[in-house]
Amino acid sequence: MMREPMRPSLPVAILAAALLLPAAAAADEGMWLPSQLPGIEEAMRGSGFQGDPKDLSDLSRPPMSAVVSLGGCTASFVSPQGLVVTNHHCAHGAIQLNSTPENNLIVNGFNAATMADEVSAGPGARVLVTDRFERITERILARARGKTGRAYHDAVEAASKAAVAECEAEPGYRCSVVDMYYGTDFHLIRQLEIRDVRLVYAPPDAIGSYGDEIDNFMWPRHSGDFTFYRAYVGPDGRPAAYSPDNVPFRPAAWLTVSTEPLAEGDFAMLAGYPGRTFRHRTAAEFADQVEWQLPSRVELMSALLAAVERATAGDADAGVRYAAQVASLKNTLKRAQGELDGLRRSHAVAERRTQEAAMLAWLPSQPDAAAIRADIDAAAEVIASARGTRERDQLFGLMQAQTQLLRGAMQLQRLALERGKPDAEREAGYQLRDEARIEAALRQAQRRYAPAVERAILAELLARHRALPADQRVPEIEAVFGADAASAAAALEALYSTTALADEAERLRLLAAAPPEVRASTDPLMRAAATLQQAALRLEDEDKARAGELLRLRPAYMRGMIGHARSEGRAVYPDANSTLRVSHGRIESLQPRDAVSYAPLTTVEGIVEKHTGVAPFDAPAPLLDAIARRDFGATVDPGLGTQTVNFLTNLDTTGGNSGSPVMDARGRLIGLNFDSNWEAVSASWKFDPRYKRAIHVDARYMRWIMARVYPAPQLLHEMGLPLDGADRAPAEADGR
């Protein structure tokens, strides 16, 4: 749940109605709600869109109904038999989960010859199909009015939980309450939650992540970043856990893959579930991001990577177990560095300060100006109050987020605590609706854990905790791990050499046990978690009290900034919050700096140029052989006379857009989004049209790999695509 509902004294309904009418955006800026698209029809048609934007605003109609969330990435249906295409890096966890040192699917790739050969993507894998988006602002804010701080937070949370519980009364759905424009408007979202997701096809890592971290966020790029899943349901057509008896899901719509060439200037449109953007944050928050958060993140991720790499050196099994976590750490590190560089290059802090000053100068002429300004100043004080403990909070959060057994132990202790309450009063994340996900995480830990590696991660974080000023250290951490390096080393050795939680059966036994039995556990890691939970609850109370004030106060700042922006004709699309959004624009080249110009399409010749035979530029022999033969068939680019790989657009994207389908002017799939260029990583905070580009894998490259390099004719046929030089394959797979 998002955390910023609006101060009730403001005219919520009037402001909400105004915000649904888009203003002109700079260049092709904007992650638009589907409901806003009819309001920007002129801009979309100016970019080349040939459909009716009203069709895009209806989530029950194609192509929007074919676009799904994976709970962190985006994907889309591409056949009537539940075939789903997304990025290779989005499926990396599932590929790793099914890998062993003897059969490493990360290295070898995976290709299920038949549906019977498809393998589970893991108990936590989900395909989420949005079918409802309903405004419920008055219901959420009704009991928050007149409250402050923690009470305001709790009132909004209680109303949100009640709405979710009512929505999920019908089995098979996952519901959530989100807000737009930081509390102005609340919406209830319902998603069909498909729980049996299977891996169908994944190219080898040397194709799927060609260039790896060296090329990450870079252009030119030559990555075949695509993978196929399939969604399965029970024989009755309803979502069900994995079972051999399940059948492929029959989606209401699926995307048709285009077989036409691409060129600079062509219209492009992307639909997906972008995670979070922060473009409407205060100037002080922009400064905090540049001056502390990003430098701190770069340094921390570098240290954690080094710790993992030391602990996995010479251990192939541990290397496989931590492959997905290492990839995530590397991505976070590089993204943070790129974001920092980009915000500095665009002078984002200075520009935001100028915008904020202009808004404050404009504000006195507006109704309720004094009250709004008072709330803006109060919100600034609340934001500033978090700075004193931010290092502590970051380290304690990472101790849980970057571990497997410790995190599992703390989840078990917290669940035991919450199970003693009525479900509506349980902490979000620990309600009945969440227990299946907790179980999935506890199961998956078996393939993502090695004791030496987890100890190394904790040792690094504990050393940093000991370096904090005495008044910032968490007493419970020192009670468990000691206050010096020798004590920490001894505690880690004792905890991880004697705990039984490394056994999946023991974790699941505790999950099923009654709360008193869990709390009475004598397992050393469970006892440690019980102690650490005291700190987690105390810090959580502090955080909610602060968040409650921002729930009440931040909307005043938003009213000022949005009102001022609209007075100048600037865009007012909401910050991204993992809800379905649409961006539109064109295939476009890039001129990132003086005398440098990048073409918008790359070709297989670039793969050969980069190839060294050493990872990450170790193109596999079948790929190099096919390039040498110039065996391109139906996917050859007629203008370039060769096979394309990736392409650039000026589409507005951020994290969570990975796997998003990129469509042409008629709504046909032309590629998958998988990255941003280095110069535009900072777009989560600031959109700069000079530099913002999105990087996509060309659908023609996907088809070529599946036809000529690592053949999957069964999938091409299923998608209605040509197997050779023909223009079309069977019409039975046409999207609708």
Side-chain angles (χ1 to χ4, degrees), residues 96 101 303-327 329-330 402 447-457:
Q96 177 264 326
L304 289 177
L305 272 169
V308 173
E309 289 169 358
R310 287 193 301 270
T312 57
D315 188 338
D317 183 57
V320 169
R321 289 174 183 269
Y322 280 83
Q325 188 166 337
V326 165
L329 287 168
K330 286 181 176 179
Q402 293 296 329
R447 291 292 305 137
R448 294 176 178 168
Y449 165 74
V453 184
E454 183 152 324
R455 286 168 53 185
I457 291 170

Side-chain angles (χ1 to χ4, degrees), residues 669-692:
L669 185 73
I670 58 174
L672 301 179
N673 183 73
F674 71 91
D675 210 352
S676 291
N677 56 306
W678 180 255
E679 297 83 2
V681 173
S682 55
S684 57
W685 284 78
K686 175 178 169 54
F687 182 93
D688 190 329
R690 298 172 300 169
Y691 304 119
K692 179 65 183 86

Side-chain angles (χ1 to χ4, degrees), residues 367-425:
D368 299 325
I372 294 172
R373 180 59 189 263
D375 280 1
I376 289 173
D377 292 342
E381 292 178 6
V382 175
I383 291 167
S385 71
R387 296 187 188 119
T389 59
R390 58 191 180 186
E391 292 181 68
R392 175 203 72 184
D393 297 341
Q394 180 170 250
L395 289 171
F396 191 36
L398 286 170
M399 287 179 193
Q400 299 165 73
Q402 293 296 329
T403 56
Q404 295 292 334
L405 292 201
L406 180 60
R407 176 176 58 196
M410 293 190 70
Q411 285 180 315
L412 289 166
Q413 289 287 8
R414 184 62 182 267
L415 185 59
L417 174 66
E418 298 300 331
R419 279 174 167 168
K421 307 174 185 177
D423 191 58
E425 296 177 16

Side-chain angles (χ1 to χ4, degrees), residues 11-30:
V12 174
I14 295 174
L15 181 57
L19 293 175
L20 293 177
L21 300 174
D28 291 295
E29 177 181 356

Side-chain angles (χ1 to χ4, degrees), residues 14 83 111 144 153 190 233 238 259 265 271 284 305 332-333 338 345 365 486 576 602 632 636 674 703 729 733:
I14 295 174
L83 190 66
N111 186 359
H153 172 279
R190 188 176 79 162
V233 290
R238 302 183 68 84
T259 58
L305 272 169
T332 301
L333 167 61
R345 182 188 311 112
S365 64
T602 60
F632 304 137
V636 68
F674 71 91
R703 290 168 50 206

Side-chain angles (χ1 to χ4, degrees), residues 464-479:
R464 292 168 179 274
H465 179 263
R466 292 193 299 272
L468 292 175
D471 63 350
Q472 283 196 43
R473 293 178 212 146
V474 180
E476 290 85 354
I477 292 178
E478 294 191 336

Side-chain angles (χ1 to χ4, degrees), residues 162-481:
V164 166
E166 180 182 301
C167 177
E168 292 182 352
E170 184 177 353
Y173 288 94
R174 186 82 178 176
C175 302
S176 58
V177 173
V178 298
D179 77 89
M180 304 297 170
Y181 305 100
Y182 293 95
T184 300
D185 230 9
F186 286 81
H187 291 78
L188 178 68
I189 297 174
R190 188 176 79 162
Q191 296 176 309
L192 186 71
E193 184 180 33
I194 298 174
R195 294 180 284 134
D196 185 353
V197 183
R198 303 187 194 179
L199 184 64
V200 175
Y201 179 94
D205 201 54
I207 289 176
S209 59
Y210 188 72
D212 196 33
E213 287 309 306
I214 295 176
D215 269 5
N216 194 17
F217 298 118
M218 297 299 178
W219 186 262
R221 197 71 175 273
H222 300 86
S223 176
D225 198 348
F226 72 98
T227 290
F228 288 87
Y229 282 151
R230 194 182 304 278
Y232 281 80
V233 290
D236 61 357
R238 302 183 68 84
Y242 175 87
S243 168
D245 298 327
N246 286 351
V247 298
F249 175 66
R250 305 287 294 188
W254 56 95
L255 299 182
T256 297
V257 181
S258 172
T259 58
E260 296 183 7
L262 305 177
E264 181 162 17
D266 286 353
F267 175 85
M269 174 178 69
L270 175 148
Y273 290 81
R276 291 297 305 272
T277 56
F278 309 94
R279 297 175 188 173
H280 297 315
R281 292 299 181 99
T282 68
E285 288 172 300
F286 269 67
D288 285 345
Q289 186 75 357
V290 172
E291 295 165 8
W292 177 79
Q293 181 60 76
L294 291 172
S296 171
R297 189 175 296 159
V298 167
E299 203 270 333
L300 258 176
M301 294 303 106
S302 298
L304 289 177
L305 272 169
V308 173
E309 289 169 358
R310 287 193 301 270
T312 57
D315 188 338
D317 183 57
V320 169
R321 289 174 183 269
Y322 280 83
Q325 188 166 337
V326 165
S328 176
L329 287 168
K330 286 181 176 179
N331 185 71
T332 301
L333 167 61
K334 194 162 189 179
R335 182 180 183 89
Q337 186 62 64
E339 187 172 311
L340 180 60
D341 292 349
L343 290 176
R344 287 171 172 166
R345 182 188 311 112
S346 295
H347 306 292
V349 175
E351 183 174 306
R352 189 59 168 178
R353 284 173 174 153
T354 299
Q355 292 170 347
E356 193 171 287
M359 178 272 288
L360 293 174
W362 166 86
L363 184 60
S365 64
Q366 305 306 305
D368 299 325
I372 294 172
R373 180 59 189 263
D375 280 1
I376 289 173
D377 292 342
E381 292 178 6
V382 175
I383 291 167
S385 71
R387 296 187 188 119
T389 59
R390 58 191 180 186
E391 292 181 68
R392 175 203 72 184
D393 297 341
Q394 180 170 250
L395 289 171
F396 191 36
L398 286 170
M399 287 179 193
Q400 299 165 73
Q402 293 296 329
T403 56
Q404 295 292 334
L405 292 201
L406 180 60
R407 176 176 58 196
M410 293 190 70
Q411 285 180 315
L412 289 166
Q413 289 287 8
R414 184 62 182 267
L415 185 59
L417 174 66
E418 298 300 331
R419 279 174 167 168
K421 307 174 185 177
D423 191 58
E425 296 177 16
R426 289 195 195 182
E427 178 65 19
Y430 291 91
Q431 294 179 277
L432 286 169
R433 66 196 291 265
D434 303 304
E435 292 191 8
R437 290 191 172 195
I438 294 172
E439 179 181 350
L442 292 172
R443 288 184 181 276
Q444 289 183 169
Q446 205 64 26
R447 291 292 305 137
R448 294 176 178 168
Y449 165 74
V453 184
E454 183 152 324
R455 286 168 53 185
I457 291 170
L458 281 171
E460 178 65 38
L461 294 172
L462 288 170
R464 292 168 179 274
H465 179 263
R466 292 193 299 272
L468 292 175
D471 63 350
Q472 283 196 43
R473 293 178 212 146
V474 180
E476 290 85 354
I477 292 178
E478 294 191 336
V480 171
F481 298 105

